[in-house]
Amino acid sequence: MTEKVCIIGSGNWGSTAAKIIGTNVTKYDEFDDKVNMWVHEEFINGESLTDIINTKHENVKYLPGVKLPENIVANSNLTECIKDATVFVFVIPPQFLKEVLRRMVGQIRPDARAISLIKGLDSSHSSIRFFSEIIHELLDIEVSVMSGANVASEVASENFCETTIGTLVKKHGKLFKKLFSTSYLKVTIVNDIIGVEICGALKHILGIAAGIVDGLDLGGNTKAAVVRIGLMEIIKFAKTFYPEVQKETFYESCGVAEMITLYYAGRNRMLGEAFVRTGKPFDVLENEMLNGQKLQGPITIQKVHDYLLTKEKIQEFPFINAVYQITYNGAPADTIIKNI
Amino acid sequence: MTEKVCIIGSGNWGSTAAKIIGTNVTKYDEFDDKVNMWVHEEFINGESLTDIINTKHENVKYLPGVKLPENIVANSNLTECIKDATVFVFVIPPQFLKEVLRRMVGQIRPDARAISLIKGLDSSHSSIRFFSEIIHELLDIEVSVMSGANVASEVASENFCETTIGTLVKKHGKLFKKLFSTSYLKVTIVNDIIGVEICGALKHILGIAAGIVDGLDLGGNTKAAVVRIGLMEIIKFAKTFYPEVQKETFYESCGVAEMITLYYAGRNRMLGEAFVRTGKPFDVLENEMLNGQKLQGPITIQKVHDYLLTKEKIQEFPFINAVYQITYNGAPADTIIKNI
């Protein structure tokens, strides 16, 4: 069987993934050289982004200055794009995922497999739901996940980094490793999907917490302590509700490496700091600082807090509770120190 | 038995420890209120540092602006200072340790216990030797260790942080927890001395490595990857040569929290970056940037590399080998990426 890869999404990270995948499929006989990339159509100076990508081989809006391989074929028609694909790479903003999945139902090969590059929690569900679970539920196919300290622009510039792929199917691990491994992206496979998902989603809480400590001007020791304690609580969360999660996963790129990165960079950290310094709520700050773009941090804090409350476990997670009380309930910012 | 505490050392971290210990001993009946602090005598505008500390209750040279409790009594006479002490806190620069220990031999109570706050490796020994081992060997007493993300000035300012104490004797853990715990310093006890020592010593290699990546202008992803891979190799080093070390120790403040801190701060990081940018050897940079002060990073790299070479294991530690080849053998700085 020739594997036919389809990338669902064409933003900053999606275009970076396309650059890597487009090159890698040509290295192995098992892949069809042509890779479809679904584009949520938009127009730039009257020209469609799809046409621009297919003629200039560059996503001028979301990854300007980086050449995409010519075998990456942009298409805004989802039905055409997904036809006959055996491998789907999901890399779209979380809020659009379900709508796209619904349009794919009944249109895909039943033996297709997917990998999700989307980090976060589903905000529409009343409980904790990861995006790999949603993809699996709607499409009824095997879903792996990929997460790591992977700022798209740096990966696109071919600066060395690592990433973690979680999968329960060994041969899918091999397949995805072929798709994503390059000299500058080192892929590690772990037999743990939920562990990778938890890292990718709950790290947003650490980002906000690191920002809160910055807003309090408390220095490096305190920030390191808060981030470490937060990481321990995330591991505890995993072990409490998902006993199958492996603690080793948190030592991978998706774990400690991402925690290290967001310690001083990232938009959730920036938002947490601005929250403490200005006292403005997240939605106002998102409007002022991010043109209204919604970050995953605030949603994740609320989801995880509400879940712990429902499970009557919130008292056992003082770090998560403190971040919630500060950001949603008007508690003073130094609660983050006093509670832990 | 009334515990009598003696602090050996009065620098930045020693004076900070004195501030905490001086307050804590008055809280418990089991401690003598008076705490001796040994000072390597020096004169400031003609007045001895010892006299200044005992009259102003401030170490004006090494921790200016911070009041020390009045029950901290500075003394430059080592024999007087250590007399009758049951608890020693070692917090002096590594290069002075052995000389001080030799002067203590035969002068101390045989039932005394010690804790070492000194991070690093003994540079004079041909093999790997931690300072707690040296203290134990020369004084023949039980030695615990303390290490963590504890920049002295921030601890002295009472910014919240954590620290890790490694001890094999449970009641010593309790004793030292009483001495060091405060509202702003959270102490965790682990049953693992060498694990804590390895974190405190080998982290200096990570500091240099983080600086090398900064010198290459490779960005956050790459630095997070290099630091993570370095941490994994340090854990491997521990498990290879000290099977009693517990992997959990690396999740404590002495482990991940310190790695997070040195990711963007610290003098070894600064040295590593300057090394790449200027091409000057470490000793020249130490003279130019640090008034000739010797950092632990360069010594640690050499010691650990030479040890691995002797053990015929260097090929199994490509990260440590790369840092050594770059800093001592003229290998290009990007070897750190290519080797791992």
Side-chain angles (χ1 to χ4, degrees), chain B residues 55-79:
Chain B
T55 50
K56 291 199 176 162
H57 305 292
E58 180 183 337
N59 187 332
V60 294
K61 178 150 185 192
Y62 295 107
L63 193 63
V66 176
K67 279 286 159 215
L68 300 179
E70 301 199 0
N71 54 328
I72 295 292
V73 179
N75 194 334
S76 62
N77 182 318
L78 187 66
T79 308

Side-chain angles (χ1 to χ4, degrees), chain A residues 160 162 222 228 247-248, chain B residues 160 162 222 228 247-248:
Chain A
F160 175 78
E162 300 181 289
T222 306
R228 191 200 77 81
K247 199 169 174 185
E248 293 298 304
Chain B
F160 175 79
E162 299 182 290
T222 306
R228 191 200 77 83
K247 199 169 174 186
E248 294 297 305

Side-chain angles (χ1 to χ4, degrees), chain A residues 239-286:
Chain A
K239 298 306 282 180
T240 304
F241 300 107
Y242 305 90
E244 74 274 25
V245 167
Q246 294 159 24
K247 199 169 174 185
E248 293 298 304
T249 301
F250 293 88
Y251 268 130
E252 295 296 339
S253 178
C254 63
V256 286
E258 274 237 275
M259 317 292 168
I260 291 173
T261 313
L262 58 77
Y263 174 70
Y264 90 124
R267 290 170 303 172
N268 284 293
R269 193 215 59 77
M270 189 178 73
L271 199 68
E273 180 174 357
F275 178 85
V276 174
R277 294 203 190 278
T278 66
K280 295 176 184 173
F282 284 143
D283 52 349
V284 173
L285 292 170
E286 284 168 336

Side-chain angles (χ1 to χ4, degrees), chain B residues 140-317:
Chain B
D140 195 21
I141 58 176
E142 275 288 325
V143 186
S144 304
V145 295
M146 181 168 125
S147 184
N150 308 132
V151 174
S153 58
E154 294 182 17
V155 180
S157 302
E158 306 192 0
N159 288 356
F160 175 79
C161 68
E162 299 182 290
T163 196
T164 313
I165 288 177
T167 183
L168 301 183
V169 185
K170 212 167 180 178
K171 61 181 178 185
H172 294 176
K174 282 184 187 165
L175 175 81
F176 290 119
K177 196 164 187 168
K178 284 179 187 165
L179 275 189
F180 287 101
S181 284
T182 70
S183 59
Y184 54 90
L185 184 62
K186 190 177 168 190
V187 176
T188 302
I189 309 289
V190 297
N191 181 36
D192 179 3
I193 291 177
I194 297 297
V196 176
E197 286 275 30
I198 286 177
C199 285
L202 273 65
K203 64 145 193 167
H204 296 302
I205 305 179
L206 291 190
I208 299 271
I212 291 172
V213 178
D214 283 339
L216 290 164
D217 292 316
L218 284 175
N221 286 353
T222 306
K223 202 155 85 160
V226 166
V227 169
R228 191 200 77 83
I229 289 168
L231 172 61
M232 292 304 105
E233 220 170 84
I234 290 173
I235 295 174
K236 184 180 173 182
F237 179 89
K239 297 306 284 180
T240 304
F241 299 107
Y242 305 90
E244 74 276 24
V245 167
Q246 294 159 24
K247 199 169 174 186
E248 294 297 305
T249 301
F250 294 89
Y251 267 129
E252 295 297 338
S253 178
C254 63
V256 285
E258 274 238 276
M259 317 292 168
I260 290 173
T261 312
L262 58 77
Y263 174 70
Y264 89 127
R267 289 170 304 173
N268 284 293
R269 192 214 60 77
M270 189 177 74
L271 199 70
E273 181 173 358
F275 178 85
V276 175
R277 295 205 190 278
T278 67
K280 295 176 183 173
F282 284 142
D283 52 348
V284 173
L285 292 170
E286 284 167 335
N287 282 331
E288 288 180 5
M289 298 166 68
L290 300 158
N291 288 318
Q293 193 199 349
K294 293 284 172 201
L295 294 191
Q296 284 294 312
I299 299 164
T300 309
I301 292 167
Q302 188 159 36
K303 281 279 150 198
V304 174
H305 169 267
D306 292 356
Y307 182 76
L308 288 170
L309 208 62
T310 313
K311 297 282 179 186
E312 297 183 344
K313 294 269 188 194
I314 190 69
Q315 295 310 321
E316 296 170 34
F317 293 84

Side-chain angles (χ1 to χ4, degrees), chain A residues 14 29 32 40 59 91 118 125 130 132 139 162 171 184 188 199 207 227 241 265 270 321 337:
Chain A
D29 287 341
D32 188 330
H40 178 78
N59 187 332
V91 53
I118 310 166
H125 202 277
F130 300 106
S132 60
L139 299 186
E162 300 181 289
K171 63 181 177 186
Y184 54 90
T188 302
C199 286
V227 169
F241 300 107
M270 189 178 73
N321 195 23
I337 310 304

Side-chain angles (χ1 to χ4, degrees), chain A residues 92-166:
Chain A
I92 52 174
Q95 62 270 30
F96 305 131
L97 179 64
K98 274 191 200 168
E99 188 218 321
V100 170
L101 289 172
R102 284 190 204 108
R103 289 165 57 196
M104 291 173 69
V105 172
Q107 311 274 327
I108 64 162
R109 286 176 61 140
D111 61 349
R113 297 81 96 207
I115 188 164
S116 168
L117 275 54
I118 310 166
K119 296 174 185 178
L121 295 177
D122 177 25
S123 63
S124 66
H125 202 277
S126 64
S127 187
I128 295 280
R129 292 286 297 285
F130 300 106
F131 295 117
S132 60
E133 296 177 300
I134 292 168
I135 298 168
H136 174 70
E137 247 175 48
L138 271 85
L139 299 186
D140 194 23
I141 59 176
E142 275 288 325
V143 186
S144 304
V145 294
M146 181 168 125
S147 184
N150 308 133
V151 174
S153 57
E154 295 181 16
V155 180
S157 301
E158 305 191 2
N159 288 356
F160 175 78
C161 67
E162 300 181 289
T163 197
T164 313
I165 288 177

Side-chain angles (χ1 to χ4, degrees), chain B residues 32-68:
Chain B
D32 188 329
D33 276 2
K34 186 182 156 199
V35 173
N36 286 339
M37 178 169 77
W38 180 69
V39 175
H40 179 78
E41 193 62 283
E42 55 187 301
F43 291 85
I44 293 146
N45 300 325
E47 201 181 350
S48 86
L49 183 56
T50 307
D51 287 344
I52 296 173
I53 293 173
N54 289 333
T55 50
K56 291 199 176 162
H57 305 292
E58 180 183 337
N59 187 332
V60 294
K61 178 150 185 192
Y62 295 107
L63 193 63
V66 176
K67 279 286 159 215
L68 300 179

